[in-house]
């Protein structure tokens, strides 16, 4: 595809590419040692989170830090992406990547050991001349699990955070820490296998379930709507709702259920997002999103209305409303949305080597749209004097954000 061409009718090369990224060479305890810890403890299936989920599977869902880093440090002869290039000299860099596996350390280290490592990483990064020069505004911090780096991340709020969602409720992020102009939403790593073109064709006649959901039926915070939806939908004709189970059996059941269904229910969980959305997309099951606070990955490039249905929680809770709404969707619209799902799936499949238009690639295309504002705030912070009436930083309130919406 030529750079002047369009993706789904929209221009997606708005700025000069490739982006030049400097990857910090941090001490092994922040990088390779944590990867070895993850690998060597993978078979400890009794290691569960508080809600019963296997820890290693949860880490894999949030392993965007691994996939981005693996692509950046790969030999140039093995890389396929044209949107980003690794530079060896800091003065040549547009952005700086911090390769610290914050999610692995949170789940696999003892609490105090993890907090100590977080403090060490914070000091190491903030001591770097490049950080001091920009105040961290041109640094990329992967914190894709909401608990990642939580005890110290407030000291790095100017950096570009790579997140699963924004969670404007304040349950996970403090006011002023995260917002779309500064940070970037990345998709979870799917739990299920891709339903490719052959699979989509073969499963067409087998999709006899109208609406499918498999997962934890009771959640906290914004996820309380799950229990209400279960009460509303349970027993309805064409609806399958199952309590999720851990392990390979649970994964297989979810994959089978999604491939047999037309629509997949995606309500909010403990956070506005969940991996289930991306499982549905790669399974060819049209997502029905009921999560009023949800922010989506790469929305400056992708139009999710082509592959998903968005329903307000107030409408979904009206007796009979949701099923009536779904049954009114025409077969032609369903076929079109499923075709679109087949095209969109590649945008959510992490891989090595990273593929053109895969999630790693779209990260840098979205970053291109942030560079002008990053440089604006960095240069402004370097020249203002203490008598300046107002020192505007990247955590300005959204209403006062003056930078152009490039992407």
């Amino acid at each position: 595809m030529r750079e002047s061409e369009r993706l789904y009718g929209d221009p997606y090369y708005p700025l000069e590419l490739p982006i030049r990224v400097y990857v910090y060479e941090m001490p092994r305890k922040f990088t390779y040692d944590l990867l070895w810890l993850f690998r060597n403890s993978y078979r400890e299936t009794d290691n569960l989170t508080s809600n019963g989920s296997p820890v290693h599977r949860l880490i894999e869902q949030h392993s965007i830090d691994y996939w981005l880093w693996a692509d950046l440090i790969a030999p140039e002869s093995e890389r396929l992406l044209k949107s980003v290039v690794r530079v060896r000299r800091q003065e040549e860099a547009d952005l700086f990547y911090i390769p610290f596996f914050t999610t692995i350390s949170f789940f696999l280290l003892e609490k105090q050991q993890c907090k100590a490592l977080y403090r060490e990483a914070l000091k190491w990064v903030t001591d770097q001349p490049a950080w001091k020069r920009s105040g961290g505004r041109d640094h990329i911090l992967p914190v894709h699990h909401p608990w990642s780096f939580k005890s110290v991340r407030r000291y790095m709020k100017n950096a570009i955070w790579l997140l699963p969602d924004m969670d404007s409720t304040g349950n996970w992020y403090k006011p002023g820490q995260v917002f779309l102009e500064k940070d970037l939403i990345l998709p979870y790593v799917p739990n299920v296998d891709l339903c490719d073109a052959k699979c989509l064709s073969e499963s067409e006649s087998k999709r006899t379930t109208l609406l499918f959901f498999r997962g934890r039926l009771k959640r906290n915070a914004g996820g309380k709507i799950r229990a209400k939806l279960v009460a509303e939908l349970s027993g309805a004709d064409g609806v399958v709702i199952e309590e999720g189970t851990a392990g390979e059996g649970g994964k297989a059941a979810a994959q089978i259920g999604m491939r047999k269904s037309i629509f997949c229910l995606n309500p909010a969980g403990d956070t506005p997002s969940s991996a289930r959305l991306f499982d549905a997309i790669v399974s060819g099951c049209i997502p029905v999103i009921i999560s009023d606070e949800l922010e989506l990955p790469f929305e400056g490039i992708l139009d999710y209305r082509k592959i998903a249905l968005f329903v307000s929680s107030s409408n979904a809770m009206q007796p009979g409303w949701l099923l009536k709404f779904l049954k009114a969707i025409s077969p032609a619209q369903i076929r079109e949305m499923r075709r679109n799902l087949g095209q969109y799936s590649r945008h959510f499949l992490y891989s090595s080597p990273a593929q053109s238009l895969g999630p790693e690639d779209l990260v840098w295309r979205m970053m291109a749209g942030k560079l002008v504002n990053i440089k604006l705030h960095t240069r402004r912070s370097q020249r203002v004097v203490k008598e300046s009436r107002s020192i505007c930083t990247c955590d300005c309130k959204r209403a006062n954000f003056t930078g152009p919406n490039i992407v």
Side-chain angles (χ1 to χ4, degrees), residues 10 42 44 59 91 93 138 143 146 149 151 160 163-164 179-180 182 229 259 269 272 293 327 356 395:
D10 295 322
Y42 194 88
E44 296 178 9
I59 293 171
E91 56 269 29
D138 52 5
V143 282
F149 221 42
S151 59
I160 306 161
L163 302 163
F179 46 93
L180 287 175
K182 178 179 77 74
L229 285 170
R259 292 186 180 187
E293 304 294 335
K327 290 176 181 178
S356 176
D395 59 346

Side-chain angles (χ1 to χ4, degrees), residues 283-296:
S283 297
C285 187
I286 300 169
V288 180
I289 298 174
I290 307 174
S291 182
D292 299 342
E293 304 294 335
L294 181 65
E295 300 292 351
L296 292 163

Side-chain angles (χ1 to χ4, degrees), residues 175-187:
Q177 283 187 341
V178 298
F179 46 93
L180 287 175
E181 293 86 351
K182 178 179 77 74
D183 304 307
L184 191 63
I185 307 296
L186 269 68

Side-chain angles (χ1 to χ4, degrees), residues 265-298:
L265 185 65
N266 287 269
D270 290 341
T271 61
S273 66
S274 74
R276 186 173 297 100
L277 169 60
F278 308 102
D279 290 347
I281 291 173
V282 302
S283 297
C285 187
I286 300 169
V288 180
I289 298 174
I290 307 174
S291 182
D292 299 342
E293 304 294 335
L294 181 65
E295 300 292 351
L296 292 163
F298 317 134

Side-chain angles (χ1 to χ4, degrees), residues 192-212:
V192 300
D193 300 328
L194 170 67
C195 185
D196 58 16
K198 182 174 182 289
C199 167
L200 287 173
S201 176
E202 292 176 349
S203 66
E204 185 81 25
S205 61
K206 300 176 183 177
R207 294 182 183 269
T208 55
T209 299
L210 176 67
L211 182 64
F212 176 79

